[in-house]
Amino acid sequence: MNTNRAYESVIIFNTNLDEAGINTQINSIEKIVSTHGGSVSKKEVQGKKELEYHMDKKKFGNFVELEFDGDNTLISDLERQLNINDNVIRFLNVLKN
C-alpha cells in the first residue's frame, strides 16, 4: 500500500539569493523529500515578484513553486526546516489529494 500523499508548496525566498543560491535551497528541500520516500515532480522558479504587503520589512521576494509526494511525516519535517531557514520569508504547503 502506497502511503505517499501529493503536496504543493509555494516558498518565498529572500531576494539576496542569486539563482545558484535558490537552486541550493531547492536541492536541500529535494533532499528532505527524498529522505521521506518521496520525489519532486515539478519545480518552477517564478522569479522576483513584489509582495502585496511587506513581510519582514521586505518589498520583494523570489517565488518558487514545488509539487512533490511523500509520507505523512514529511510536512512536519519540511516546515521545521523552512522555519529555521533565514533565507525563507514565507511558505505555504497544501495537500493536493
Side-chain angles (χ1 to χ4, degrees):
M1 183 171 129
N2 187 359
T3 59
N4 282 357
R5 296 174 142 190
Y7 298 97
E8 182 174 355
S9 289
V10 175
I11 305 165
I12 305 173
F13 290 105
N14 196 331
T15 55
N16 293 340
L17 291 175
D18 58 356
E19 188 174 336
I22 291 173
N23 286 333
T24 301
Q25 297 293 323
I26 292 172
N27 289 339
S28 68
I29 292 170
E30 287 178 327
K31 188 183 231 184
I32 295 169
V33 171
S34 66
T35 301
H36 288 276
S39 62
V40 175
S41 58
K42 175 186 172 187
K43 53 184 168 184
E44 180 181 342
V45 178
Q46 298 175 354
K48 182 178 177 180
K49 294 183 180 182
E50 187 172 2
L51 304 173
E52 285 293 320
Y53 56 93
H54 297 190
M55 291 185 271
D56 299 332
K57 299 182 180 181
K58 295 181 177 33
K59 291 183 180 182
F60 294 91
N62 288 314
F63 283 68
V64 175
E65 180 183 349
L66 300 172
E67 291 182 10
F68 53 90
D69 59 36
D71 63 16
N72 56 359
T73 60
L74 168 63
I75 289 298
S76 61
D77 191 25
L78 180 61
E79 287 181 349
R80 184 174 51 80
Q81 294 296 327
L82 291 174
N83 275 324
I84 62 175
N85 189 336
D86 291 334
N87 292 311
V88 175
I89 298 173
R90 288 281 194 276
F91 63 89
L92 177 66
N93 296 316
V94 178
L95 178 65
K96 286 185 69 173
N97 55 352

